[in-house]
Amino acid sequence: MPLNMVNDGEDFLIKKVSGKEETRRFLENLGFVAGAKISVVSRICGNVIVLIKDSRIAISSEMAQKVIV
């Protein structure tokens, strides 16, 4: 299921990051790698704020759609 469709506050494991090579590399540099624990903190103005590796990161809903949990 894409990350932008999960409920806030639940913990998930990332299964796969899809998209173009440039997009995948960008997300991987932020810590979005297969096996990483992630949870959605909140959604603001179309952005998704996630907690990953003890850091809060805001990504667009288009980017969140490429993260499969």
Side-chain angles (χ1 to χ4, degrees):
M1 161 174 15
L3 183 62
N4 63 342
M5 301 196 58
V6 302
N7 295 327
D8 296 0
E10 294 183 37
D11 291 336
F12 294 93
L13 290 178
I14 296 175
K15 293 183 180 176
K16 176 179 135 179
V17 178
S18 62
K20 295 181 181 178
E21 179 66 29
E22 181 179 326
T23 303
R24 286 195 318 263
R25 189 173 299 129
F26 174 77
L27 289 171
E28 288 172 1
N29 287 337
L30 291 175
F32 292 81
V33 294
K37 182 178 162 186
I38 189 170
S39 66
V40 175
V41 176
S42 65
R43 301 164 201 271
I44 300 173
C45 299
N47 294 325
V48 180
I49 300 174
V50 299
L51 180 64
I52 185 167
K53 295 188 177 181
D54 296 327
S55 298
R56 288 184 182 205
I57 299 174
I59 57 174
S60 67
S61 60
E62 291 83 19
M63 288 263 191
Q65 188 173 6
K66 298 186 184 326
V67 179
I68 309 300
V69 294

